[in-house]
Amino acid sequence: MSVSAGDRPGEPLLDHFAPSLLEEPLYYADGQIRDEVYVYGSFLQARKHERGVRCSDCHDPHSARLIHEGNALCAQCHQPEAPLDRFPTLRKAAYDTPAHHFHAPGTPGSFCVDCHMPATTYMQVDPRRDHSFTVPRPDQTMRTGTHNACNSCHYDRTPAWALEEIVRRFPTFATARVPAGHFGQVLTAARRADPQAFATLVRLAQEQGEPAIVRATAVQELQRYEPSAAVRAIAPTLMDADALVRATAARAIGVLIPEEAPAGLHQQKVHVLERLLDDPVRHVRSEAARALAGAAEAQIPAARKAAFTAALDGWIGRQEALADRPDPHLNLGVLQEIRGQARAAEASYR
């Protein structure tokens, strides 16, 4: 989603764009790509991204073509002589061998990407590989119905068979190497409105060890629960170090405290959101201003009015810049309606 009327290379991504979260039907519950999405969303989940791997480590920055073919691409780092100057936590080992992948070299299943970057083909001509670089998890298929790389090839077998094979070949799979729990299980339970999942979802939203896009998705899912409890749970994430989490939290607060809420709740909304009107990232400022527009505007302190107006004008400008599409007109109509601008709202709707 565009956040500004135009982007400038080198500026923060969230000054100009807002990536979709790990929501249905775009992604499986465990974050793997499902519908047609940019690979950026899966890459944000990867430990490689967290440890400093860049797109240009694998792709030519001008053509986007791979800089090596086949397993040589992954083996430039994942090998016995790993380059630990950049990645000191990288485990040195031989991976491009049947002892690891259990397939004949050069056949399907022997390539790193077959198991760790499964591809989804869109429009029959556009294969895109998942960039979260995960290990196959047939156990999660059994728990949440997500895709797993094993059964995409061994489609005549069950996930239970695939799990048994993995555990047989990698005995530590179920213990030390891969934890039994996964954020996909938390999100799945929340989407089923499981009341027992609320506390776990709160912990996921606030868990700094999880990727920001995962935590932001957990914040969004908290909107499914009782508003006052959800607002209390989301409030700490408004100060998160990651802008995507802060922006999602601001939007969620706006949803959980709607226009028809009592004046006291709008005061609460202003209290928790006004600081974000000066956030260094445009996406955060825009979401905070949009959440405060309408009934809460009257509660904004005079000293913050200018920041609110600037942030909201920026959001309006984004909608007007995308006027060749229908959804910006709807967005403007909703905003104008809640601000009491009935004639302008009707014009936007029309």
Side-chain angles (χ1 to χ4, degrees):
M1 178 180 70
S2 174
V3 173
S4 69
D7 62 288
R8 296 180 180 178
E11 294 186 347
L13 180 75
L14 267 65
D15 268 357
H16 302 289
F17 300 99
S20 297
L21 301 181
L22 308 181
E23 55 201 18
E24 298 178 310
L26 299 178
Y27 293 87
Y28 288 100
D30 65 351
Q32 292 186 83
I33 62 173
R34 185 173 187 174
D35 206 342
E36 188 173 3
V37 293
Y38 293 104
V39 298
Y40 180 74
S42 56
F43 187 52
L44 287 180
Q45 305 169 52
R47 280 191 295 173
K48 285 178 170 54
H49 174 266
E50 176 189 336
R51 302 292 167 82
V53 172
R54 297 186 291 264
C55 304
S56 55
D57 287 320
C58 298
H59 298 271
D60 179 274
H62 301 288
S63 67
R65 293 189 181 94
L66 296 174
I67 61 176
H68 297 293
E69 294 298 323
N71 288 350
L73 182 68
C74 302
Q76 63 180 326
C77 290
H78 295 280
Q79 49 144 316
E81 301 301 324
L84 300 184
D85 54 331
R86 275 189 63 194
F87 308 115
T89 62
L90 189 64
R91 180 170 172 263
K92 293 185 176 183
Y95 294 98
D96 189 11
T97 167
H100 177 74
H101 55 63
F102 304 100
H103 293 76
T107 65
S110 70
F111 297 102
C112 307
V113 294
D114 292 337
C115 296
H116 302 293
M117 297 183 70
T120 301
T121 301
Y122 303 103
M123 300 178 291
Q124 302 185 50
V125 295
D126 184 14
R128 297 185 194 175
R129 293 197 175 275
D130 190 285
H131 278 61
S132 56
F133 304 98
T134 55
V135 297
R137 294 293 301 268
D139 58 319
Q140 291 304 315
T141 303
M142 297 164 66
R143 290 188 174 99
T144 65
T146 60
H147 166 89
N148 79 82
C150 303
N151 291 121
S152 65
C153 287
H154 298 283
Y155 52 83
D156 57 335
R157 301 281 192 158
T158 65
W161 169 85
L163 178 60
E164 183 180 342
E165 286 294 310
I166 289 178
V167 172
R168 180 173 68 82
R169 298 171 191 229
F170 299 98
T172 58
F173 176 88
T175 54
R177 292 188 58 203
V178 179
H182 191 280
F183 68 79
Q185 294 172 238
V186 180
L187 297 180
T188 298
R191 289 163 182 169
R192 293 172 179 165
D194 182 352
Q196 302 302 316
F198 179 77
T200 310
L201 192 61
V202 172
R203 288 196 295 271
L204 178 61
Q206 300 176 4
E207 176 51 64
Q208 294 299 309
E210 291 286 355
I213 194 170
V214 172
R215 291 186 283 114
T217 303
V219 169
Q220 179 171 275
E221 295 297 336
L222 281 167
Q223 297 175 48
R224 298 175 182 269
Y225 290 87
E226 195 278 321
S228 60
V231 168
R232 288 195 299 272
I234 291 171
T237 66
L238 291 166
M239 302 301 293
D240 195 274
D242 193 275
L244 184 59
V245 177
R246 298 197 302 275
T248 305
R251 183 168 64 249
I253 295 292
V255 171
L256 289 165
I257 304 179
E259 280 299 289
E260 61 272 17
L265 290 180
H266 287 295
Q267 289 178 334
Q268 179 186 1
K269 185 195 289 190
V270 171
H271 175 70
V272 298
L273 291 184
E274 64 173 311
R275 72 192 77 176
L276 296 185
L277 295 172
D278 297 317
D279 196 275
V281 178
R282 180 183 286 118
H283 181 38
V284 180
R285 298 194 301 271
S286 294
E287 291 294 348
R290 177 63 186 83
L292 290 172
E297 288 186 48
Q299 310 283 355
I300 299 174
R304 310 291 266 175
K305 285 285 189 181
F308 166 77
T309 300
L312 189 63
D313 284 349
W315 184 89
I316 293 171
R318 177 183 75 193
Q319 307 306 312
E320 293 174 339
L322 300 173
D324 58 325
R325 296 169 50 182
D327 41 315
H329 296 284
L330 176 62
N331 294 339
L332 286 170
V334 172
L335 174 67
Q336 291 155 347
E337 186 173 356
I338 66 174
R339 300 184 85 192
Q341 301 166 347
R343 290 187 179 277
E346 181 181 355
S348 293
Y349 291 145
R350 288 187 181 280

